[in-house]
């Protein structure tokens, strides 16, 4: 199975755009719009990746659903 892997490291971006986990939704949306990104990495204060955001995550429907879900867990 090891012969089935492809090394894509030469094609990866070694310095991706990131936002802190405390960044507002508005700021993340503006970053997407101005830079034309497909994905945005979310990092904590130690610069460790804790998640990703896509454009679909910032739609009104997705944000409303997330607020409803989080509200039920409080």
């Amino acid at each position: 199975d090891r012969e089935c892997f492809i090394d894509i490291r030469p094609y990866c971006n070694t310095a991706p755009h990131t936002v802190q986990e405390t960044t507002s939704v508005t700021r993340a949306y503006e970053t997407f719009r101005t830079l034309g990104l497909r994905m945005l990495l979310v990092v904590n204060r130690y610069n460790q990746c804790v998640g990703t955001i896509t454009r679909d995550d910032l739609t009104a429907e997705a944000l409303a659903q997330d607020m409803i879900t989080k509200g039920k867990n409080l």
Side-chain angles (χ1 to χ4, degrees):
D1 287 335
R2 291 189 182 244
E3 286 106 29
C4 295
F5 289 99
I6 298 173
D7 184 12
I8 61 170
R9 286 180 288 180
Y11 309 104
C12 292
N13 186 356
T14 58
H17 293 281
T18 62
V19 292
Q20 293 288 320
E21 59 187 347
T22 57
T23 302
S24 68
V25 173
T26 304
R27 179 73 173 150
Y29 180 78
E30 287 174 0
T31 302
F32 268 106
R33 295 276 297 170
T34 56
L35 299 175
L37 302 174
R38 294 177 186 248
M39 185 182 347
L40 193 58
L41 295 178
V42 181
V43 296
N44 62 14
R45 63 182 176 156
Y46 303 109
N47 212 29
Q48 299 169 330
C49 182
V50 294
T52 59
I53 299 174
T54 63
R55 289 183 188 185
D56 291 337
D57 295 330
L58 296 177
T59 61
E61 295 82 17
L63 291 172
Q65 183 62 37
D66 191 44
M67 291 175 71
I68 291 168
T69 304
K70 295 227 192 263
K72 288 180 181 176
N73 294 333
L74 292 178

